[in-house]
Amino acid sequence: MARVDVRPGRRAGDRRTVPLLAISLAVGLTVAAVPGWAAAAPTAARVATAATDPVGEPGAEPSTADPTETGPVPSEAPPTTSPPPASTPPAGTSEPTPTTTAPEGPAPTTAAPTLSAPPTAPPVPPVRPSAPGPGSPAAPPAAVRVTTGDITLTAAYWNAPSTVTTLRVTVTNTGAAPARIRLAYTLPAGLTDAGTRGCAHVGDGAHRCGEWTSAPGARFSTLLRVRVAGDAWRQMPLSGSVQVTATAPGAEPARDDEGFAVLFPPGPPVPGIRLEAGEVAFDISGGASRLDVRLGNTGRVDADGRVEVVLPAGVTVPAPPAGCTAAGPTRTRCDLGTVPAGRAAHLRLPVSATPEAQRTAPLAGAVRGKLDPRSGRARQVQMSFRITAAAALATPVASPPAPTGSQGVLAADSPALRAGGGGSVRQTAIILIAVSTLLVVLALTLATTSLRRRLDAPVPEPTTAPAPTD
C-alpha cells in the first residue's frame, strides 16, 4: 500500500499557524468594536447620571413648585371660563362677568390624572421607573403660552373709593403631552387681589395659584379679581405681569410670561380741558414707533398748553422734537404754545423700546396735560395709554426631539464632542480604529503567507512500503 510521508516539522508548523490565525482574527475583530464602546461612553455616563436623580414612587405627581419661591401653595386652581376668540385680543372689564360655558378643548382639572390597565391584561406589580436607554424615544417637550387682557377702568372710577374689576388670563398647552400648569401673577402698587379663588398672596404684590391638569392643545381662560384703589391713579403708569409654568413627565419645565396694562380714563374730571392719547405699537422689526397726543381747550379762554409723557422702564423718546426736553430717564416735557379756546393741539413723539421691554408688553404709559389760561386757574388732567409689541407674541415653539443615534454611535455635532472633553474621546477612537485596522491587516497577511507556503511547497514523492516477508 502506498502512503504519503509528511514530515513532522511541517505538520507541527501547520498546527501552529491555524491557532495563530484564529487568535489574530479574534483580537482584530474584538479591538475593532472598541471604538464604538469608547464613543458610546459619554452617552452611558449621561444616562447613569440621570438615573441618580430622585425618582418618585409610581403614581406620584411631579411637583412644579419653584424651589426659589416661598409662601403657601394653594391646593386648588382658579376656576376656568371659555377663552376669547383667538382672532381678537381680550379686553379688560370693569365688572366681573361670570360665565358657565365650557372651556375650549379638554377641560383642565385640578386632580391628578389616573391610568388604568386594560381589562384583559394580567396585573403587573409596580416598578420604579428607570432612566431611558440610549435607543428609547425622548419624552415630548412641554410648552405653554399665556396671553392677558388689560385692566381698563371707566369714568365711574373717579366717583368710587375703590373699584373691583377682573383681569382675563388665557392659557394654552402648546406641547404634545399632558402637563401640569401653574399660574402666578404680580400686581403693581395700588392694586390688590379681591379674592380670586385658588390664589394666595406671597408678598410684594406677588400671587401664586394652584395647578391645572391640561391636555395637549387645551386652551382656557380664568378671571382674576382685582381691586384698584381710588388713589392709584397718582402712581400711573401702572403695569403688572402674569407667569405660567408647565411641567410634563420626563421633560424640562416650560415657562411663559406676559404683561398687562392698567388703563385709567382721562381725569380727574376737570371742565375746560380734554386729553387723548393713542396706543404705541411696535412691529416685529422692533423699530421705533410713535405716540400721538391731543390736548383740547374746551374752555372760553385761550391757554398755554403743556404735555408731560411718562414711560415705563426700557421705553424712551430717543429724539425729542422741537419744544420738547427730557425731564428724566422716563419723562419728556413738551410746550405746545397757546391753545385757542375751542381748539386742540396735536403732539407726535417718536418712541423706542429695548427688546426686554417689548417681550414683557403689553405695558402702560401715562400722559399729563395742562392748560394755563391768562386769567383763571390752571387745569390739569392725566390718563394712561397702552404699549404693545409684536415681539411679545413671538413665543418660541417647542421643537420635536431630535432622533438619537444607535448605541455605540456618537454624532459629530453632539455636546460631548463640542465640550472640553470631546477631543480626548475622538483621539482615543481614532487610535483604536488604527490599531484594529493594523491587526486585521496583520492577520490577513499571516493567513495569506501560510496558504502561499503550502501551495508552493513541493509535493513529496510517494514511497512504496517494503513487502512483508514471511
Side-chain angles (χ1 to χ4, degrees):
M1 177 184 297
R3 68 180 176 182
V4 179
D5 183 15
V6 180
R7 292 186 179 90
R10 176 167 298 179
R11 185 179 303 170
D14 293 341
R15 290 176 181 176
R16 289 194 300 270
T17 302
V18 174
L20 179 61
L21 177 60
I23 294 173
S24 300
L25 289 175
V27 171
L29 294 176
T30 303
V31 177
V34 172
W37 299 343
T43 303
R46 289 193 295 271
V47 173
T49 303
T52 58
D53 294 339
V55 180
E57 294 295 333
E61 292 299 325
S63 174
T64 59
D66 192 339
T68 61
E69 295 181 353
T70 59
V73 180
S75 58
E76 61 176 347
T80 58
T81 65
S82 58
S87 58
T88 59
T93 57
S94 58
E95 294 295 335
T97 312
T99 177
T100 57
T101 56
E104 179 180 319
T109 61
T110 57
T114 58
L115 301 177
S116 59
T120 58
V124 179
V127 179
R128 181 181 297 273
S130 59
S136 301
V144 66
R145 172 154 178 76
V146 61
T147 56
T148 63
D150 294 317
I151 296 180
T152 304
L153 301 168
T154 65
Y157 167 79
W158 304 112
N159 293 324
S162 64
T163 302
V164 176
T165 181
T166 57
L167 172 66
R168 179 181 291 272
V169 177
T170 302
V171 181
T172 306
N173 181 0
T174 57
R180 300 295 298 269
I181 299 178
R182 190 187 64 211
L183 172 69
Y185 58 96
T186 303
L187 298 177
L191 278 70
T192 56
D193 187 83
T196 303
R197 194 178 70 186
C199 301
H201 182 245
V202 295
D204 296 332
H207 298 74
R208 295 171 60 190
C209 306
E211 296 178 336
W212 294 285
T213 299
S214 176
R219 181 172 178 265
F220 55 93
S221 293
T222 186
L223 297 178
L224 306 179
R225 289 175 53 84
V226 178
R227 183 181 300 275
V228 184
D231 58 350
W233 64 273
R234 300 182 183 275
Q235 305 179 64
M236 70 172 70
L238 296 177
S239 303
S241 61
V242 177
Q243 307 86 33
V244 290
T245 303
T247 303
E252 291 293 330
R255 295 177 176 85
D256 190 25
D257 61 89
E258 186 165 291
F260 63 89
V262 183
L263 303 179
F264 294 87
V270 177
I273 186 174
R274 185 180 71 252
L275 182 65
E276 299 175 0
E279 180 177 309
V280 176
F282 294 96
D283 59 18
I284 194 62
S285 67
S289 184
R290 66 185 184 185
L291 170 65
D292 292 324
V293 180
R294 290 178 60 88
L295 179 62
N297 183 359
T298 59
R300 299 181 180 181
V301 182
D302 297 348
D304 294 333
R306 174 181 293 182
V307 168
E308 180 177 273
V309 176
V310 183
L311 298 173
V315 185
T316 58
V317 177
C324 299
T325 58
T330 60
R331 294 176 180 267
T332 303
R333 291 176 182 170
C334 300
D335 292 325
L336 304 181
T338 301
V339 181
R343 304 290 296 273
H346 180 262
L347 173 66
R348 175 171 293 176
L349 289 175
V351 180
S352 63
T354 62
E356 291 77 11
Q358 294 190 39
R359 282 193 293 267
T360 57
L363 301 170
V367 58
R368 298 184 177 94
K370 184 177 181 180
L371 289 177
D372 190 4
R374 295 184 177 89
S375 59
R377 298 176 56 183
R379 303 182 293 271
Q380 181 173 325
V381 69
Q382 60 189 27
M383 65 174 295
S384 301
F385 60 90
R386 194 169 186 253
I387 302 174
T388 61
L393 302 177
T395 302
V397 179
S399 59
T404 58
S406 60
Q407 185 175 2
V409 178
L410 187 63
D413 60 345
S414 65
L417 295 182
R418 291 194 299 265
S424 62
V425 174
R426 180 178 297 177
Q427 293 175 0
T428 304
I430 293 175
I431 293 173
L432 292 176
I433 290 174
V435 172
S436 63
T437 303
L438 291 176
L439 290 176
V440 172
V441 171
L442 178 60
L444 293 177
T445 302
L446 291 175
T448 304
T449 303
S450 176
L451 292 175
R452 183 176 298 174
R453 287 178 179 177
R454 296 185 63 179
L455 293 175
D456 295 342
V459 179
E461 293 295 334
T463 59
T464 304
T469 61
D470 294 335

